[in-house]
Coordinates of all heavy atoms in Angstrom, one line a residue:
M602 N -160.9 -60.6 132.4 CA -161.7 -60.2 131.2 C -161.5 -61.2 130.1 O -160.3 -61.7 130.0 CB -161.4 -58.8 130.8 CG -161.9 -57.7 131.6 SD -162.0 -56.1 130.9 CE -160.4 -55.7 130.4
R603 N -162.4 -61.4 129.3 CA -162.3 -62.3 128.1 C -162.9 -61.6 127.0 O -164.0 -60.9 127.2 CB -162.5 -63.7 128.4 CG -164.1 -63.9 128.7 CD -164.4 -65.4 129.1 NE -165.8 -65.6 129.3 CZ -166.7 -65.9 128.5 NH1 -166.4 -66.3 127.3 NH2 -168.0 -66.2 128.9
E604 N -162.5 -61.9 125.7 CA -163.1 -61.3 124.6 C -164.4 -62.1 124.2 O -164.3 -63.4 124.3 CB -162.2 -61.3 123.4 CG -161.0 -60.3 123.6 CD -160.2 -60.1 122.3 OE1 -160.7 -60.4 121.3 OE2 -159.1 -59.6 122.5
V605 N -165.5 -61.5 123.9 CA -166.7 -62.1 123.4 C -167.3 -61.3 122.3 O -166.8 -60.2 122.0 CB -167.8 -62.3 124.5 CG1 -167.3 -63.1 125.6 CG2 -168.1 -60.9 125.1
K606 N -168.2 -61.8 121.6 CA -169.0 -61.0 120.7 C -170.3 -60.7 121.4 O -171.0 -61.5 121.9 CB -169.2 -61.9 119.3 CG -168.1 -62.2 118.6 CD -167.5 -61.0 118.0 CE -166.3 -61.4 117.1 NZ -165.7 -60.2 116.3
R607 N -170.6 -59.4 121.3 CA -171.9 -58.8 121.9 C -172.9 -58.9 120.7 O -172.6 -58.4 119.6 CB -171.6 -57.4 122.3 CG -172.8 -56.8 122.8 CD -172.6 -55.2 123.1 NE -173.8 -54.5 123.5 CZ -174.0 -54.0 124.6 NH1 -173.2 -54.1 125.6 NH2 -175.1 -53.3 124.7
I608 N -174.1 -59.4 121.0 CA -175.1 -59.7 120.0 C -176.4 -58.8 120.5 O -176.9 -59.1 121.5 CB -175.5 -61.0 119.8 CG1 -174.3 -61.8 119.4 CG2 -176.5 -61.1 118.7 CD1 -174.4 -63.3 119.3
E609 N -176.7 -57.9 119.7 CA -178.0 -57.0 120.1 C -178.9 -57.3 119.0 O -178.7 -57.2 117.8 CB -177.6 -55.6 120.1 CG -176.6 -55.2 121.1 CD -176.1 -53.8 121.0 OE1 -176.8 -52.8 121.5 OE2 -175.1 -53.6 120.4
I610 N -180.2 -57.7 119.4 CA -181.3 -58.1 118.5 C -182.6 -57.3 118.8 O -183.0 -57.2 120.0 CB -181.6 -59.5 118.7 CG1 -180.3 -60.4 118.5 CG2 -182.7 -59.9 117.6 CD1 -180.4 -61.8 118.9
V611 N -183.2 -56.7 117.7 CA -184.5 -56.1 117.9 C -185.4 -56.8 117.0 O -185.1 -56.9 115.8 CB -184.4 -54.5 117.5 CG1 -185.7 -54.0 117.6 CG2 -183.4 -53.8 118.4
I612 N -186.5 -57.4 117.5 CA -187.4 -58.2 116.7 C -188.9 -57.9 117.2 O -189.0 -57.6 118.3 CB -187.0 -59.6 116.7 CG1 -187.9 -60.4 115.6 CG2 -187.2 -60.2 118.1 CD1 -187.1 -61.5 114.9
D613 N -189.8 -58.1 116.4 CA -191.2 -57.9 116.8 C -191.4 -59.0 117.9 O -191.0 -60.1 117.9 CB -192.2 -58.4 115.7 CG -192.2 -57.3 114.6 OD1 -191.8 -56.1 114.9 OD2 -192.7 -57.6 113.5
K614 N -192.2 -58.5 118.9 CA -192.4 -59.4 120.2 C -193.0 -60.8 119.9 O -192.5 -61.8 120.4 CB -193.3 -58.6 121.0 CG -193.5 -59.3 122.4 CD -194.4 -58.4 123.3 CE -194.5 -59.1 124.7 NZ -195.2 -58.2 125.7
P615 N -193.9 -60.9 118.8 CA -194.4 -62.3 118.6 C -193.3 -63.2 118.0 O -193.6 -64.5 118.2 CB -195.5 -62.1 117.6 CG -195.9 -60.7 117.7 CD -194.7 -59.9 118.1
H616 N -192.3 -62.7 117.5 CA -191.2 -63.6 117.0 C -190.0 -63.9 117.8 O -189.1 -64.6 117.5 CB -190.8 -63.0 115.6 CG -192.0 -62.8 114.6 ND1 -192.8 -63.9 114.1 CD2 -192.4 -61.7 114.0 CE1 -193.6 -63.3 113.4 NE2 -193.4 -62.0 113.3
E617 N -190.0 -63.2 119.0 CA -188.9 -63.3 119.9 C -188.6 -64.8 120.3 O -187.4 -65.2 120.4 CB -189.1 -62.3 121.1 CG -188.1 -62.5 122.2 CD -188.6 -63.2 123.4 OE1 -190.0 -63.2 123.7 OE2 -187.9 -63.9 124.0
P618 N -189.7 -65.6 120.6 CA -189.5 -66.9 121.0 C -188.7 -67.7 119.9 O -187.9 -68.6 120.3 CB -190.8 -67.5 121.1 CG -191.7 -66.3 121.6 CD -191.1 -65.3 120.7
K619 N -188.8 -67.5 118.7 CA -188.2 -68.1 117.6 C -186.6 -67.8 117.7 O -185.7 -68.6 117.5 CB -188.7 -67.7 116.2 CG -190.1 -68.0 116.0 CD -190.6 -67.5 114.6 CE -192.0 -67.9 114.5 NZ -193.0 -67.2 115.3
V620 N -186.3 -66.5 118.0 CA -184.9 -66.1 118.3 C -184.2 -66.9 119.5 O -183.2 -67.3 119.4 CB -184.8 -64.6 118.4 CG1 -183.4 -64.2 118.8 CG2 -185.3 -63.9 117.1
R621 N -185.0 -66.9 120.6 CA -184.5 -67.6 121.7 C -184.3 -69.0 121.4 O -183.2 -69.6 121.8 CB -185.6 -67.5 122.9 CG -185.6 -66.2 123.5 CD -186.4 -66.2 124.7 NE -187.7 -66.9 124.6 CZ -188.6 -67.1 125.4 NH1 -188.5 -66.8 126.6 NH2 -189.8 -67.7 125.0
V622 N -185.1 -69.7 120.7 CA -185.0 -71.2 120.3 C -183.7 -71.3 119.5 O -182.8 -72.2 119.7 CB -186.1 -71.7 119.6 CG1 -185.8 -73.2 119.1 CG2 -187.3 -71.9 120.6
A623 N -183.5 -70.4 118.5 CA -182.4 -70.5 117.6 C -181.0 -70.3 118.4 O -180.1 -71.0 118.2 CB -182.4 -69.4 116.4
L624 N -181.1 -69.3 119.4 CA -179.9 -69.1 120.1 C -179.6 -70.3 121.0 O -178.4 -70.7 121.2 CB -179.9 -67.9 120.9 CG -180.0 -66.6 120.0 CD1 -180.3 -65.3 121.0 CD2 -178.7 -66.4 119.3
A625 N -180.7 -70.9 121.6 CA -180.5 -72.1 122.6 C -179.9 -73.3 121.8 O -179.1 -73.9 122.2 CB -181.8 -72.4 123.2
E626 N -180.4 -73.5 120.5 CA -179.8 -74.5 119.6 C -178.4 -74.5 119.5 O -177.6 -75.4 119.2 CB -180.6 -74.7 118.4 CG -182.1 -75.1 118.5 CD -182.8 -75.0 117.3 OE1 -182.3 -74.5 116.3 OE2 -184.0 -75.4 117.3
L627 N -177.7 -73.2 119.4 CA -176.4 -72.9 119.2 C -175.6 -73.0 120.5 O -174.3 -72.8 120.5 CB -176.2 -71.6 118.5 CG -176.8 -71.7 117.1 CD1 -176.7 -70.1 116.5 CD2 -175.9 -72.5 116.2
G628 N -176.2 -73.1 121.6 CA -175.6 -73.1 122.9 C -175.2 -71.7 123.4 O -174.3 -71.7 124.1
V629 N -175.8 -70.7 122.9 CA -175.6 -69.4 123.4 C -176.0 -69.4 124.9 O -177.2 -69.7 125.3 CB -176.3 -68.3 122.7 CG1 -176.2 -67.0 123.3 CG2 -175.7 -68.3 121.3
P630 N -175.2 -69.1 125.9 CA -175.5 -69.3 127.2 C -176.5 -68.5 128.0 O -176.9 -68.9 129.0 CB -174.0 -69.0 127.9 CG -173.4 -68.0 127.1 CD -173.9 -68.3 125.6
G631 N -176.8 -67.3 127.6 CA -177.7 -66.5 128.3 C -178.3 -65.4 127.5 O -178.0 -65.2 126.3
L632 N -179.3 -64.9 128.0 CA -180.1 -63.7 127.2 C -180.8 -62.7 128.2 O -181.3 -63.2 129.1 CB -181.0 -64.4 126.4 CG -181.9 -63.6 125.3 CD1 -181.0 -63.1 124.3 CD2 -183.1 -64.5 124.7
T633 N -180.5 -61.5 127.9 CA -181.3 -60.4 128.5 C -182.3 -59.9 127.6 O -182.0 -59.5 126.4 CB -180.5 -59.3 129.0 OG1 -179.4 -59.8 129.9 CG2 -181.1 -58.1 129.6
I634 N -183.6 -59.8 128.0 CA -184.7 -59.3 127.2 C -185.3 -58.1 127.8 O -185.6 -58.0 129.0 CB -185.8 -60.4 127.1 CG1 -185.2 -61.8 126.5 CG2 -187.0 -59.9 126.3 CD1 -186.2 -62.9 126.7
M635 N -185.3 -56.9 127.0 CA -186.0 -55.8 127.4 C -187.2 -55.6 126.6 O -187.2 -55.6 125.4 CB -185.0 -54.7 127.2 CG -183.8 -54.7 128.0 SD -182.5 -53.5 127.7 CE -181.1 -54.4 127.4
D636 N -188.4 -55.3 127.3 CA -189.6 -55.3 126.8 C -190.0 -53.9 126.4 O -189.4 -53.0 126.8 CB -190.6 -55.9 127.8 CG -191.8 -56.5 127.0 OD1 -191.8 -56.6 125.9 OD2 -192.6 -57.1 127.7
V637 N -190.8 -53.8 125.5 CA -191.4 -52.4 125.1 C -190.4 -51.4 124.6 O -189.9 -50.5 125.3 CB -192.1 -51.8 126.3 CG1 -192.9 -50.5 125.8 CG2 -193.2 -52.7 127.1
V638 N -189.9 -51.7 123.4 CA -188.8 -50.9 122.9 C -189.4 -50.1 121.7 O -190.1 -50.7 120.9 CB -187.6 -51.7 122.2 CG1 -186.5 -51.0 122.0 CG2 -187.3 -52.9 123.1
A639 N -189.2 -48.8 121.6 CA -189.8 -48.0 120.6 C -188.6 -47.6 119.6 O -187.5 -47.6 120.0 CB -190.4 -46.8 121.3
G640 N -189.2 -47.3 118.4 CA -188.2 -46.8 117.4 C -188.9 -46.7 116.0 O -190.0 -46.9 115.9
Y641 N -188.0 -46.4 115.0 CA -188.6 -46.4 113.7 C -187.5 -47.0 112.7 O -186.3 -46.8 113.0 CB -189.1 -44.9 113.3 CG -188.1 -44.0 113.1 CD1 -187.4 -43.7 111.9 CD2 -187.7 -43.2 114.2 CE1 -186.5 -42.7 111.8 CE2 -186.7 -42.3 114.3 CZ -186.1 -42.0 113.0 OH -185.1 -41.1 112.8
G642 N -188.0 -47.5 111.6 CA -187.1 -48.0 110.7 C -187.8 -48.1 109.2 O -188.8 -47.5 109.0
D643 N -187.4 -49.1 108.5 CA -187.9 -49.3 107.1 C -189.3 -49.8 107.2 O -189.9 -49.9 106.2 CB -187.0 -50.3 106.3 CG -186.8 -51.6 107.0 OD1 -187.2 -51.9 108.1 OD2 -186.3 -52.5 106.3
R644 N -189.7 -50.4 108.3 CA -191.1 -50.9 108.4 C -192.0 -49.9 109.2 O -193.2 -50.4 109.6 CB -191.0 -52.3 109.2 CG -190.4 -53.3 108.4 CD -190.3 -54.7 108.8 NE -189.7 -54.7 110.2 CZ -190.3 -55.2 111.4 NH1 -191.3 -55.9 111.2 NH2 -189.6 -55.2 112.4
G645 N -191.5 -48.7 109.3 CA -192.4 -47.7 110.0 C -192.0 -47.6 111.5 O -191.0 -48.1 112.0
S646 N -192.9 -46.9 112.2 CA -192.8 -46.6 113.6 C -193.3 -47.7 114.5 O -194.3 -48.3 114.2 CB -193.4 -45.3 113.9 OG -193.3 -45.0 115.2
R647 N -192.6 -48.0 115.6 CA -192.9 -49.0 116.6 C -193.0 -48.2 117.8 O -191.9 -47.7 118.3 CB -191.9 -50.1 116.7 CG -191.7 -50.9 115.3 CD -192.9 -51.7 115.1 NE -192.6 -52.5 114.0 CZ -193.6 -53.1 113.3 NH1 -194.7 -53.0 113.5 NH2 -193.2 -53.9 112.2
E648 N -194.1 -48.2 118.5 CA -194.4 -47.5 119.7 C -194.3 -48.6 120.9 O -194.7 -49.6 120.8 CB -195.6 -46.9 119.8 CG -195.8 -45.8 118.6 CD -194.7 -44.7 118.7 OE1 -194.2 -44.3 119.9 OE2 -194.1 -44.2 117.7
G649 N -193.9 -48.0 122.1 CA -193.8 -48.9 123.3 C -195.2 -49.3 123.8 O -195.3 -50.3 124.4
G650 N -196.2 -48.5 123.7 CA -197.4 -48.7 124.2 C -198.5 -49.1 123.3 O -199.7 -48.8 123.4
A651 N -198.2 -50.0 122.2 CA -199.0 -50.4 121.2 C -200.2 -51.2 121.8 O -200.0 -52.0 122.8 CB -198.4 -51.2 120.1
L652 N -201.4 -51.3 121.2 CA -202.5 -52.1 121.7 C -202.2 -53.7 121.5 O -202.9 -54.5 122.0 CB -203.7 -51.7 121.0 CG -204.2 -50.3 121.3 CD1 -205.4 -49.8 120.6 CD2 -204.5 -50.1 122.8
S653 N -201.4 -53.9 120.4 CA -201.2 -55.3 120.1 C -199.7 -55.7 120.1 O -198.8 -54.9 119.7 CB -201.7 -55.5 118.6 OG -201.2 -56.8 118.0
D654 N -199.3 -56.9 120.5 CA -197.9 -57.4 120.6 C -197.3 -57.4 119.2 O -196.1 -57.2 118.9 CB -197.8 -58.7 121.1 CG -198.0 -58.8 122.6 OD1 -198.0 -57.7 123.2 OD2 -198.1 -59.9 123.1
A655 N -198.2 -57.5 118.1 CA -197.7 -57.4 116.7 C -197.0 -56.2 116.4 O -196.2 -56.3 115.4 CB -199.0 -57.7 115.8
M656 N -197.3 -55.1 117.0 CA -196.6 -53.8 116.7 C -195.6 -53.4 117.7 O -195.2 -52.2 117.8 CB -197.7 -52.7 116.6 CG -198.6 -53.0 115.4 SD -197.8 -53.1 113.8 CE -197.4 -51.5 113.6
M657 N -195.2 -54.3 118.6 CA -194.3 -54.1 119.8 C -193.0 -54.8 119.4 O -192.9 -55.9 119.0 CB -194.8 -54.5 121.1 CG -196.0 -53.7 121.5 SD -196.6 -54.2 123.0 CE -195.4 -53.6 124.2
N658 N -191.8 -54.1 119.7 CA -190.6 -54.7 119.6 C -190.0 -55.1 120.9 O -190.4 -54.7 121.9 CB -189.5 -53.8 119.1 CG -189.6 -53.6 117.5 OD1 -190.2 -54.5 116.8 ND2 -189.2 -52.4 117.1
R659 N -189.1 -56.2 120.9 CA -188.3 -56.5 122.0 C -186.8 -56.4 121.7 O -186.3 -56.5 120.6 CB -188.6 -58.0 122.4 CG -189.7 -58.2 123.2 CD -189.7 -59.4 124.0 NE -190.6 -59.3 125.2 CZ -191.2 -60.3 125.7 NH1 -190.8 -61.6 125.3 NH2 -192.1 -60.3 126.6
F660 N -186.1 -56.0 122.6 CA -184.6 -55.9 122.5 C -184.0 -57.0 123.3 O -184.3 -57.3 124.4 CB -184.1 -54.7 123.2 CG -182.6 -54.4 123.0 CD1 -182.1 -54.0 121.8 CD2 -181.8 -54.7 124.1 CE1 -180.8 -53.8 121.8 CE2 -180.4 -54.5 124.1 CZ -179.9 -54.1 123.0
L661 N -183.1 -57.9 122.6 CA -182.5 -59.0 123.2 C -180.9 -58.7 123.2 O -180.4 -58.2 122.2 CB -182.7 -60.3 122.5 CG -184.2 -60.8 122.6 CD1 -185.2 -60.1 121.7 CD2 -184.3 -62.3 122.1
L662 N -180.3 -59.0 124.3 CA -178.9 -58.9 124.4 C -178.2 -60.1 124.9 O -178.7 -60.7 125.8 CB -178.6 -57.7 125.4 CG -177.1 -57.5 125.7 CD1 -176.3 -56.9 124.6 CD2 -177.0 -56.4 126.9
T663 N -177.1 -60.5 124.3 CA -176.6 -61.6 124.6 C -175.0 -61.7 124.2 O -174.6 -60.6 123.6 CB -177.2 -63.0 124.0 OG1 -176.6 -64.1 124.7 CG2 -177.0 -63.1 122.5
T664 N -174.3 -62.7 124.5 CA -172.9 -62.7 124.0 C -172.6 -64.2 123.4 O -173.5 -65.1 123.8 CB -171.9 -62.4 125.1 OG1 -172.0 -63.4 126.0 CG2 -172.1 -61.1 125.6
C665 N -171.5 -64.3 122.6 CA -171.2 -65.6 122.3 C -169.7 -65.6 122.2 O -169.1 -64.6 122.1 CB -171.9 -66.2 121.0 SG -171.3 -65.2 119.5
E666 N -169.1 -66.7 122.1 CA -167.6 -66.8 121.8 C -167.3 -66.4 120.4 O -168.2 -66.6 119.5 CB -167.2 -68.3 122.0 CG -167.4 -68.9 123.5 CD -166.6 -68.0 124.5 OE1 -165.4 -67.6 124.2 OE2 -167.2 -67.8 125.5
P667 N -166.2 -65.8 120.2 CA -165.9 -65.3 118.9 C -165.9 -66.6 117.7 O -166.4 -66.2 116.6 CB -164.4 -64.9 118.9 CG -164.3 -64.4 120.3 CD -165.2 -65.3 121.2
G668 N -165.6 -67.7 118.2 CA -165.8 -68.7 117.2 C -167.2 -69.2 116.8 O -167.4 -69.9 115.9
Q669 N -168.2 -68.6 117.6 CA -169.6 -69.1 117.3 C -170.3 -68.0 116.5 O -171.4 -68.2 116.0 CB -170.4 -69.0 118.7 CG -170.1 -70.1 119.6 CD -171.0 -70.1 120.8 OE1 -170.7 -69.1 121.6 NE2 -171.9 -70.9 120.9
V670 N -169.6 -67.0 116.3 CA -170.4 -65.7 115.6 C -170.9 -66.1 114.1 O -172.0 -65.5 113.9 CB -169.4 -64.3 115.6 CG1 -168.4 -64.4 114.7 CG2 -170.4 -63.2 115.4
E671 N -170.2 -66.7 113.4 CA -170.6 -67.1 112.1 C -171.9 -68.0 112.2 O -172.8 -67.7 111.3 CB -169.5 -67.8 111.3 CG -168.3 -66.9 111.0 CD -168.7 -65.7 110.0 OE1 -169.6 -65.8 109.2 OE2 -168.1 -64.6 110.3
A672 N -171.9 -68.9 113.1 CA -173.1 -69.8 113.1 C -174.3 -69.1 113.6 O -175.4 -69.2 113.2 CB -172.7 -71.0 114.1
V673 N -174.0 -68.2 114.6 CA -175.2 -67.4 115.0 C -175.7 -66.5 114.0 O -177.0 -66.5 113.8 CB -174.6 -66.4 116.3 CG1 -175.7 -65.4 116.7 CG2 -174.4 -67.3 117.5
A674 N -174.9 -65.8 113.2 CA -175.4 -64.9 112.2 C -176.1 -65.8 111.1 O -177.1 -65.4 110.6 CB -174.1 -64.3 111.5
A675 N -175.6 -67.0 110.7 CA -176.3 -67.8 109.8 C -177.5 -68.3 110.2 O -178.6 -68.4 109.5 CB -175.4 -69.1 109.4
K676 N -177.7 -68.5 111.6 CA -179.0 -69.0 112.1 C -180.0 -67.9 112.2 O -181.2 -68.1 112.0 CB -178.7 -69.6 113.6 CG -179.8 -70.3 114.1 CD -179.9 -71.8 113.6 CE -180.7 -72.6 114.6 NZ -180.8 -73.9 114.2
L677 N -179.5 -66.5 112.5 CA -180.5 -65.5 112.6 C -180.9 -65.0 111.3 O -181.9 -64.4 111.2 CB -179.9 -64.5 113.6 CG -179.6 -64.8 115.0 CD1 -179.1 -63.8 115.7 CD2 -181.0 -65.3 115.7
E678 N -180.1 -65.0 110.3 CA -180.3 -64.3 109.0 C -181.7 -64.7 108.4 O -182.5 -63.9 108.0 CB -179.2 -64.5 108.1 CG -179.5 -63.8 106.8 CD -178.4 -64.0 105.7 OE1 -177.5 -64.8 106.0 OE2 -178.3 -63.2 104.9
P679 N -182.0 -66.1 108.4 CA -183.4 -66.4 107.8 C -184.5 -65.8 108.6 O -185.6 -65.5 108.1 CB -183.3 -67.9 107.9 CG -181.9 -68.3 107.9 CD -181.2 -67.3 108.7
L680 N -184.4 -65.8 110.0 CA -185.5 -65.1 110.7 C -185.6 -63.7 110.5 O -186.8 -63.2 110.4 CB -185.1 -65.4 112.3 CG -185.1 -66.8 112.8 CD1 -184.6 -66.8 114.2 CD2 -186.5 -67.4 112.6
L681 N -184.6 -63.0 110.3 CA -184.6 -61.6 109.9 C -185.3 -61.3 108.5 O -186.1 -60.5 108.3 CB -183.2 -60.9 109.9 CG -182.6 -60.8 111.4 CD1 -181.2 -60.2 111.1 CD2 -183.4 -60.0 112.2
R682 N -184.8 -62.1 107.7 CA -185.3 -62.1 106.3 C -186.9 -62.2 106.2 O -187.5 -61.7 105.6 CB -184.7 -63.1 105.4 CG -184.7 -62.7 103.9 CD -183.9 -63.6 103.0 NE -182.6 -63.9 103.5 CZ -182.3 -65.2 103.8 NH1 -183.0 -66.3 103.5 NH2 -181.1 -65.5 104.2
R683 N -187.3 -63.3 107.1 CA -188.8 -63.6 107.2 C -189.5 -62.6 108.0 O -190.7 -62.1 107.5 CB -189.0 -65.0 107.6 CG -190.4 -65.4 107.7 CD -190.6 -66.9 107.8 NE -191.9 -67.2 107.6 CZ -192.4 -68.5 107.8 NH1 -191.6 -69.4 107.9 NH2 -193.7 -68.6 107.5
Y684 N -189.1 -62.1 109.2 CA -189.8 -61.4 110.1 C -189.4 -60.0 110.2 O -190.1 -59.2 111.0 CB -189.8 -62.1 111.5 CG -190.3 -63.6 111.4 CD1 -189.4 -64.6 111.8 CD2 -191.6 -63.8 111.0 CE1 -189.8 -65.8 111.6 CE2 -192.0 -65.1 111.0 CZ -191.2 -66.1 111.4 OH -191.7 -67.4 111.3
G685 N -188.3 -59.6 109.7 CA -187.8 -58.2 109.8 C -187.0 -58.2 111.1 O -186.9 -59.1 111.8
G686 N -186.4 -57.0 111.5 CA -185.7 -56.9 112.7 C -184.3 -56.4 112.4 O -183.9 -56.0 111.3
L687 N -183.5 -56.5 113.5 CA -182.1 -55.9 113.4 C -181.2 -56.8 114.3 O -181.6 -57.1 115.4 CB -182.1 -54.5 113.9 CG -180.7 -53.9 113.9 CD1 -180.0 -53.5 112.7 CD2 -180.9 -52.5 114.8
V688 N -180.0 -57.1 113.7 CA -179.1 -57.7 114.6 C -177.7 -57.0 114.4 O -177.3 -56.8 113.3 CB -178.8 -59.3 114.3 CG1 -177.7 -59.8 115.1 CG2 -180.1 -60.0 114.5
L689 N -177.1 -56.6 115.6 CA -175.7 -56.0 115.7 C -174.9 -56.9 116.3 O -175.2 -57.4 117.4 CB -175.9 -54.6 116.3 CG -176.7 -53.6 115.6 CD1 -176.9 -52.4 116.5 CD2 -176.2 -53.2 114.1
I690 N -173.7 -57.1 115.8 CA -172.7 -57.9 116.5 C -171.4 -57.1 116.6 O -171.0 -56.5 115.4 CB -172.4 -59.1 115.6 CG1 -173.7 -60.1 115.6 CG2 -171.3 -60.1 116.2 CD1 -173.6 -61.3 114.6
S691 N -170.8 -56.9 117.7 CA -169.7 -56.3 117.9 C -168.7 -56.9 118.9 O -169.1 -57.8 119.6 CB -170.0 -54.9 118.4 OG -170.8 -54.9 119.5
D692 N -167.5 -56.4 118.9 CA -166.5 -57.1 119.9 C -166.8 -56.4 121.3 O -167.2 -55.3 121.3 CB -165.0 -56.6 119.5 CG -164.7 -57.3 118.2 OD1 -165.1 -58.4 117.9 OD2 -163.9 -56.6 117.4
A693 N -166.5 -57.2 122.4 CA -166.7 -56.7 123.6 C -165.8 -57.5 124.6 O -165.2 -58.5 124.2 CB -168.2 -57.0 124.1
Q694 N -165.7 -56.9 125.7 CA -164.9 -57.6 126.7 C -165.9 -57.9 128.0 O -166.5 -57.1 128.4 CB -163.9 -56.6 127.4 CG -162.8 -56.2 126.4 CD -161.9 -57.3 126.0 OE1 -161.4 -58.0 126.9 NE2 -161.6 -57.4 124.8
M695 N -165.8 -59.2 128.4 CA -166.7 -59.7 129.4 C -165.9 -59.7 130.7 O -164.9 -60.3 130.7 CB -167.4 -60.9 129.1 CG -168.4 -61.3 130.3 SD -169.1 -63.0 129.8 CE -170.3 -62.5 128.7
I696 N -166.5 -59.1 131.8 CA -165.9 -59.1 133.1 C -166.6 -60.2 133.9 O -167.7 -59.9 134.4 CB -165.9 -57.8 133.8 CG1 -165.2 -56.8 133.0 CG2 -165.2 -58.0 135.2 CD1 -165.3 -55.4 133.6
R697 N -166.2 -61.5 133.9 CA -166.7 -62.6 134.6 C -166.1 -63.7 134.4 O -165.5 -64.1 133.4 CB -168.3 -62.8 133.9 CG -169.1 -63.7 134.7 CD -170.4 -63.8 134.2 NE -170.6 -65.2 133.6 CZ -171.7 -65.5 132.9 NH1 -172.7 -64.7 132.6 NH2 -171.7 -66.8 132.3
N698 N -166.0 -64.7 135.6 CA -165.4 -65.9 135.4 C -166.4 -66.8 134.6 O -167.5 -66.8 134.8 CB -165.1 -66.4 136.7 CG -164.0 -65.8 137.4 OD1 -163.2 -65.1 136.9 ND2 -164.2 -65.7 138.7
A699 N -165.8 -67.6 133.7 CA -166.5 -68.6 132.9 C -166.0 -69.8 132.7 O -164.7 -69.9 132.6 CB -167.0 -68.0 131.6

């Protein structure tokens, strides 16, 4: 096992490609994307079966090395400020050879 930072991101579906590009530019190695996420927050309710992608969220899960976390946060913060969303960063243990 090795220590990593777990990064969970919820963002409007139309803006998810911007997050993917930002993470790729930082060399974040992989990403799991879960479609049709429902919930509610400061921007109101988001339903899984909305008629438009504009009202749908995506959930992205990835990891990075502990030394990368400040750069990841700095890169994602402007996107969140502009488009809304949520990023949670926590400690995790990865079971995998790398």
Side-chain angles (χ1 to χ4, degrees):
M602 286 195 306
R603 65 186 178 98
E604 291 192 20
V605 296
K606 293 293 185 175
R607 176 185 172 117
I608 304 168
E609 299 171 82
I610 304 164
V611 178
I612 193 143
D613 289 340
K614 189 173 179 178
H616 305 303
E617 174 256 327
K619 295 172 184 70
V620 173
R621 283 189 316 177
V622 167
L624 293 172
E626 288 174 353
L627 293 169
V629 173
L632 186 64
T633 298
I634 301 170
M635 293 173 234
D636 215 357
V637 190
V638 201
Y641 66 92
D643 61 349
R644 294 179 306 131
S646 180
R647 300 290 188 196
E648 299 301 325
L652 296 175
S653 165
D654 284 353
M656 297 301 289
M657 293 177 73
N658 281 338
R659 276 207 163 149
F660 178 83
L661 292 77
L662 174 65
T663 191
T664 62
C665 72
E666 297 299 321
Q669 289 180 289
V670 73
E671 294 297 327
V673 169
K676 189 86 164 177
L677 295 179
E678 185 179 12
L680 295 174
L681 292 176
R682 203 172 320 120
R683 182 166 186 177
Y684 303 117
L687 171 72
V688 174
L689 298 172
I690 300 174
S691 57
D692 295 328
Q694 297 288 321
M695 181 180 283
I696 303 174
R697 187 175 111 186
N698 292 333

